[in-house]
Amino acid sequence: MIKRYLVQLFCTLSLLSSFPSLAEGEKGEDKLAYFTLEPDLTTNFYTKGKQLGYIQVRIDIMVAKSADLSIIELHQPLIRDAVIELLGKQSGDTITSLAGREDLRKTLVDKLNAILLPETGRTVIADLLFTKYLYQ
């Protein structure tokens, strides 16, 4: 009889001790998530001389919380406009060099967070990746 009560007590204590770890698991669900801007963005940029170049990019936006994906999806037209505007203002040297591309990526993260801050009240974008980057 006592053995039965001890087993029940042990099982109850095991279950109670597992609840805090379950609560921590729920907090841990806020993991990085990605949103791909589709379709690809294509725009012209300035080159030396009278010719215009063009650039086509596919961008994946990284957010710190998966719940922020809906914010990015809601403001997708605003984001697309800002990216096209910034890409169109770049010179050919910036577009074609690796260092220029990295600077452009960092600038886009800062600019997009600045644009989304008044709309959302906080910075949403953690990082930005060019998954396709073609220029001519």
Side-chain angles (χ1 to χ4, degrees):
M1 185 84 157
I2 294 176
K3 195 177 203 181
R4 182 202 249 167
Y5 287 118
L6 287 175
V7 169
Q8 289 177 349
L9 180 65
F10 178 73
C11 289
T12 305
L13 289 175
S14 306
L15 286 172
L16 289 176
S17 66
S18 67
F19 283 127
S21 64
L22 287 176
E24 289 174 6
E26 291 173 1
K27 291 178 187 173
E29 288 181 13
D30 290 337
K31 296 185 179 179
L32 294 175
Y34 294 91
F35 182 85
T36 302
L37 291 177
E38 292 180 347
D40 297 347
L41 302 165
T42 305
T43 189
N44 293 323
F45 65 90
Y46 295 110
T47 61
K48 294 178 183 174
K50 295 182 180 180
Q51 291 184 334
L52 284 177
Y54 82 90
I55 181 168
Q56 183 177 31
V57 295
R58 179 178 301 138
I59 295 177
D60 286 356
I61 298 173
M62 182 180 8
V63 293
K65 299 177 183 178
S66 57
D68 291 342
L69 288 175
S70 61
I71 294 172
I72 299 296
E73 186 173 4
L74 177 68
H75 296 291
Q76 185 176 356
L78 184 64
I79 292 169
R80 293 177 68 82
D81 178 63
V83 171
I84 289 172
E85 182 183 339
L86 186 68
L87 288 175
K89 291 180 179 178
Q90 301 306 309
S91 68
D93 294 336
T94 304
I95 297 287
T96 58
S97 71
L98 290 176
R101 178 161 71 174
E102 181 63 18
D103 290 341
L104 185 60
R105 187 188 66 77
K106 290 176 184 177
T107 303
L108 275 172
V109 171
D110 294 339
K111 181 172 181 168
L112 292 177
N113 274 326
I115 289 172
L116 291 175
L117 185 62
E119 301 293 327
T120 62
R122 59 189 171 92
T123 57
V124 178
I125 298 174
D127 206 353
L128 182 137
L129 304 169
F130 291 119
T131 53
K132 182 179 186 181
Y133 192 88
L134 300 173
Y135 58 87
Q136 184 175 359

